[in-house]
Amino acid sequence: MLVCGIGLVIHRPLARIPENTLKFAVGVMLVAFGIYWTAEGLGMDWPGGDLAILALAVVLLVLGRAAVVWLRRRRAQLSA
């Protein structure tokens, strides 16, 4: 019931966010958690504990945005 209630409340604000932006954000989160849990499973101790997930997400977000900018510039150069 709680999840359904939250879904009803945040449905409209989320509908305003472009679909590709949501996909990008979900991808960043999935990869950050995946890297964290894989390393944990291999026995790595993260500095800062669980806060390392946030640091991973920030790094992935910056790298992802840089890749998007680079690819857009490259596509513009190729089509010019």
Side-chain angles (χ1 to χ4, degrees), residues 48-74:
D50 292 344
L51 287 176
I53 298 171
L54 182 59
L56 284 170
V58 169
V59 168
L60 291 166
L61 180 63
V62 169
L63 291 174
R65 281 296 299 155
V68 167
V69 169
W70 179 74
L71 287 169
R72 284 184 179 163
R73 286 183 184 163
R74 184 163 185 220

Side-chain angles (χ1 to χ4, degrees), residues 7-24:
L8 288 172
V9 170
I10 66 171
H11 171 69
R12 290 199 190 262
L14 282 179
R16 294 182 197 149
I17 299 172
E19 184 179 352
N20 286 340
T21 302
L22 281 175
K23 288 178 183 179
F24 188 81

